[in-house]
Amino acid sequence: MTRIDAKFAALKAEGKKAFVAYMMAGDPDYDKSLEIMKALPEAGVDVIELGQPFTDPMADGPTIQRAGQRALESGQTLQKTLDMATEFRKTDDTTPIVMMGYYNPIYSRGVDRFLVDAKAAGIDGLIVVDLPPEEDDELCIPAQKAGLNFIRLATPTTDDKRLPKVLQNTSGFVYYVSITGITGAAEAQATDVGPEVARIKAQTDLPVIVGFGINTPDTAENIASVADGCVVGSAIVKQIGEGKSVAQVAAFVKSLSDGAHRA
């Protein structure tokens, strides 16, 4: 059982929904980014999604693209992202960390080496947005063998024919993208999301977490009420991009997590 599995089992036992927070590793720089990461569990974050900056982030909207650019300009690398996880684990051995990004940095490092290093750093799961299920032998199956969850995205365009393929080797949770398009583009609506979550849950026992288009405590509550939890990314990254202090970012995150936990 991974930390992700344990966390969702504990939340289910408490009758609580999950709040997942995304942040870009190394934004605006390594030290402040690590401080923010360390503040997230206290702010009510159940799972941390740690973005790995990449030069060609095709699924990300402008807010997260700019965060990736800031991180790369400050010298963030895949190794430094693993170092952040290692540092975080010195004081927190329970909060799950999901590394989210693109395949190129992992491929460049070498899959076998990356998986050994990620596991040693305390990474629990991976979301790699540009590796479809047809490429499962590339990273997904080796990752699961190494004890890491491999989390897939389902979207409004994932029809009933495609869904079983998407779910086939998924573990940890299913990330449902509430809107078509890029991150930070529109607001998620519970009336649209609810039936889609039910459709996915009819085909899997995994928790279904909804992301994209959630930027207020009320939206977090509404979306979490029709799913197993929600993810907020762009709204948090925007606060960091505006130069807010660690305490200000943490307070904003807490308002969102309180919303999700009310659901």
Side-chain angles (χ1 to χ4, degrees):
M1 184 181 269
T2 65
R3 289 185 188 91
I4 296 168
D5 301 327
K7 174 61 74 174
F8 280 107
L11 287 166
K12 190 175 182 181
E14 292 171 37
K16 278 177 75 176
K17 301 301 178 80
F19 181 71
V20 182
Y22 171 94
M23 59 173 287
M24 180 66 75
D27 174 34
D29 56 58
Y30 179 90
D31 290 338
K32 186 171 181 182
S33 188
L34 180 58
E35 271 190 78
I36 292 167
M37 186 181 182
K38 287 180 173 179
L40 293 180
E42 190 68 28
V45 173
D46 298 302
V47 179
I48 297 170
E49 262 183 40
L50 191 60
Q52 168 58 35
F54 182 51
T55 50
D56 188 22
M58 61 185 183
D60 297 322
T63 302
I64 290 179
Q65 282 191 19
R66 284 193 290 269
Q69 199 57 46
R70 289 191 297 269
L72 291 169
E73 285 170 5
S74 78
Q76 189 71 10
T77 61
L78 179 56
Q79 183 56 52
K80 283 189 169 182
T81 301
L82 294 172
D83 292 345
M84 276 182 69
T86 302
E87 281 299 313
F88 178 85
R89 284 283 171 242
K90 288 179 180 176
T91 53
D92 186 321
D93 195 41
T94 54
T95 305
I97 304 171
V98 175
M99 188 185 283
M100 183 171 189
Y102 298 83
Y103 185 46
N104 185 279
I106 295 169
Y107 178 78
S108 298
R109 191 179 188 90
V111 167
D112 292 346
R113 180 185 167 205
F114 168 75
L115 291 174
V116 168
D117 294 345
K119 187 75 177 161
I123 301 291
D124 304 292
L126 302 173
I127 298 175
V128 183
V129 295
D130 54 347
L131 271 185
E134 286 74 16
E135 308 291 336
D136 273 359
D137 289 342
E138 197 79 28
L139 179 63
C140 170
I141 290 166
Q144 310 241 49
K145 283 181 180 165
L148 294 166
N149 289 127
F150 200 88
I151 295 143
R152 288 240 185 259
L153 305 182
T155 73
T157 59
T158 307
D159 61 20
D160 288 337
K161 188 178 175 192
R162 179 67 176 166
L163 187 58
K165 188 79 175 166
V166 169
L167 296 174
Q168 187 174 289
N169 291 313
T170 299
S171 65
F173 60 91
V174 178
Y175 187 138
Y176 179 68
V177 177
S178 65
I179 51 176
T180 53
I182 52 175
T183 57
E187 186 166 298
Q189 302 294 331
T191 47
D192 299 331
V193 169
E196 290 296 298
V197 170
R199 182 170 71 91
I200 296 166
K201 288 180 80 68
Q203 296 202 35
T204 181
D205 294 330
L206 292 170
V208 180
I209 306 301
V210 177
F212 286 46
I214 301 166
N215 47 32
T216 67
D218 285 347
T219 314
E221 180 178 2
N222 290 341
I223 296 299
S225 73
V226 296
D228 295 302
C230 66
V231 184
V232 178
S234 294
I236 295 168
V237 169
K238 186 166 179 265
Q239 298 274 314
I240 297 167
E242 289 171 356
K244 301 283 173 65
S245 69
V246 174
Q248 287 172 316
V249 173
F252 177 69
V253 171
K254 185 161 191 324
S255 73
L256 295 164
S257 71
D258 285 349
H261 291 145
R262 278 198 303 270

